[in-house]
Amino acid sequence: MGGTVAVTGTRGADSANPRTANLAAILRALRAGPLSRTQLAAGCGIAKSAVPGLLTELAERGLVRAAGVLPGNGRPSRLVELHGEDAYALALGIEADRLSALVTDLSGRVLAERAETVDVAALGLQRGMDELAHLAHRVLPGPPVGVAISVPGLVDSAAAVLRLAPALRWRDAEIAGLMAARLNLPADAIAVDNDANLGALAESAAGAGDLFYLSGGTTVGGGLVSGGAVLRGARGFAGEVGHIAVDPSGERCSCGRTGCLETKANLAAVLRAAAPPGDPLHDPALGVEGRVAQLKHRVRQGDQRAATAVHGLGVALGVALSTVVDVLDPDVVVLGGYFAELGDWLVEPIRVELAVRPLGHARVVPSRLGLKAPLRGAAHLAAERLFANPTLVEEASV
């Protein structure tokens, strides 16, 4: 294909239309790799006679292409694969001290990425959106097929509204509408979700299966994936494990209760336990990655205070996760955010806490995607808009 795909800017055909649903089923099936027409018909539950016409339409929309033949005896079967290099999914990330943007193609291959360290709360909502849109324009090679924004707070994902983000000091922020105006896109092209949900989605897409994803940063949150879908709860706020009580005699939490996990496990609390005031470990200019890298270095070098702080973090996470495992029974607990970077020292104390529980059988592993998991999950969600409705891309755009 010679150029980017042309997005209609509207919803396109009704996604419930049977033909559109069949187009979507084929495109989703190809997400896993090249397939023959026979394989597509069987896997998607579509009549074999209908598959050639559907593939022709997808090819005319610039979304699939021929991919050689399937090896074997007898008449060779021609393979088809995604042709998504010029269909762009845009992921945007908002954190307390960082804004980021990433572009992938339909296969999930990263095409461009940028980030900047900034005090987002000090910028405020409008300027924060301006800066984020500026990052988006810098990474986008062309119009995106979809956009997803990762945020650290309570999100009404159906309305694409950030209800509350204490770390940003934002409340009832209509993120999708604000970004749509800045990117000249329809609001329905933009999804907004909690960073832990998106981290869980990224891990699931990478093959982790049913899992609970525990995210560590300026706050602590969780995301649950079952059957390939994020479970959100009645209001979309499921997974807020930061307020599970782990120390009845501990610090008072911002939520009004005492000894919540977040008082022990947010990054600032762990760094305070690891080093005295004025220590370079507290320098916000280093960003999350820089400070966590220093903390890891100190633990490796035998710094007893740092090692004790990290071990204490592992115990607190284990206490909270024992409740999560008892209630939700996930196959895997994935440590995300900065917890992933400290996985070498956190997994064992968590396992010890889980082992004393009757249902403490879940595997505990650090995230394979580390701090970038929410952004990769956002890219997956952004691309999902096109996978759900391939008619959003115009025909004959090659």
Side-chain angles (χ1 to χ4, degrees):
M1 184 167 57
T4 62
V5 299
V7 184
T8 63
T10 67
R11 292 183 182 273
D14 180 1
S15 58
N17 178 289
R19 184 171 182 83
T20 303
N22 285 340
L23 291 169
I26 288 177
L27 207 61
R28 287 182 191 277
L30 292 174
R31 210 172 195 172
L35 295 169
S36 70
R37 295 179 180 185
T38 301
Q39 290 170 327
L40 285 168
C44 299
I46 300 171
K48 188 175 180 180
S49 60
V51 171
L54 295 167
L55 289 174
T56 296
E57 181 173 342
L58 289 170
E60 289 174 348
R61 295 181 187 277
L63 299 176
V64 302
R65 64 184 174 191
V69 296
L70 184 67
N73 298 324
R75 185 176 179 180
S77 298
R78 295 178 181 177
L79 294 173
V80 181
E81 67 180 0
L82 286 180
H83 185 194
E85 292 89 341
D86 301 313
Y88 308 124
L90 173 63
L92 300 174
I94 304 173
E95 302 166 63
D97 61 352
R98 180 182 174 96
L99 296 172
S100 51
L102 177 145
V103 176
T104 69
D105 62 17
L106 288 192
S107 70
R109 183 170 61 98
V110 176
L111 304 177
E113 184 175 9
R114 284 184 180 271
E116 62 180 42
T117 300
V118 60
D119 186 341
V120 177
L123 283 179
L125 177 60
Q126 296 297 333
R127 286 183 58 204
M129 290 292 98
D130 288 342
E131 287 296 316
L132 191 59
H134 178 64
L135 269 183
H137 286 301
R138 291 175 68 186
V139 298
L140 274 172
V145 298
V147 181
I149 305 175
S150 168
V151 291
L154 298 177
V155 177
D156 180 344
S157 56
V161 173
L162 173 61
R163 293 301 181 195
L164 178 64
L168 307 178
R169 300 199 291 271
W170 295 357
R171 180 187 292 271
D172 293 328
E174 297 183 352
I175 301 292
L178 293 170
M179 189 53 60
R182 287 163 170 80
L183 298 182
N184 194 28
L185 292 171
D188 65 23
I190 299 178
V192 181
D193 210 338
N194 171 268
D195 54 359
N197 283 342
L198 291 171
L201 181 62
E203 291 292 334
S204 178
D210 286 6
L211 62 94
F212 184 81
Y213 177 90
L214 184 67
S215 176
T218 54
T219 59
V220 177
L224 177 67
V225 172
S226 181
V230 176
L231 302 187
R232 303 178 183 279
R235 293 176 297 161
F237 301 158
E240 289 300 313
V241 297
H243 301 290
I244 292 177
V246 297
D247 182 4
S249 61
E251 297 179 23
R252 189 170 181 82
C253 181
S254 60
C255 73
R257 289 175 283 187
T258 299
C260 292
L261 175 64
E262 200 160 283
T263 66
K264 299 280 189 182
N266 75 76
L267 180 59
V270 173
L271 294 179
R272 286 196 300 271
D279 189 282
L281 202 60
H282 302 297
D283 184 359
L286 295 175
V288 171
E289 292 185 43
R291 283 175 284 176
V292 174
Q294 281 207 18
L295 179 59
K296 289 169 63 176
H297 176 73
R298 293 186 185 192
V299 175
R300 287 195 179 105
Q301 295 301 308
D303 184 314
Q304 191 57 49
R305 179 165 176 169
T308 299
V310 173
H311 180 79
L313 170 63
V315 172
L317 293 180
V319 171
L321 285 170
S322 63
T323 298
V324 171
V325 170
D326 282 351
V327 173
L328 300 178
D329 191 27
D331 289 332
V332 185
V333 172
V334 180
L335 304 180
Y338 89 88
F339 299 151
E341 303 300 311
L342 299 174
D344 288 348
W345 302 281
L346 295 180
V347 169
E348 189 55 31
I350 292 172
R351 285 175 176 163
V352 169
E353 291 297 322
L354 292 182
V356 300
R357 306 290 175 136
L359 298 180
H361 58 272
R363 291 187 296 116
V364 181
V365 298
S367 167
R368 291 172 288 182
L369 300 171
L371 292 166
K372 294 184 178 180
L375 205 59
R376 295 304 299 268
H380 185 92
L381 182 61
E384 190 63 26
R385 179 173 180 256
L386 182 58
F387 280 100
N389 186 359
T391 65
L392 290 169
V393 170
E394 296 174 356
E395 293 188 63
S397 59
V398 294

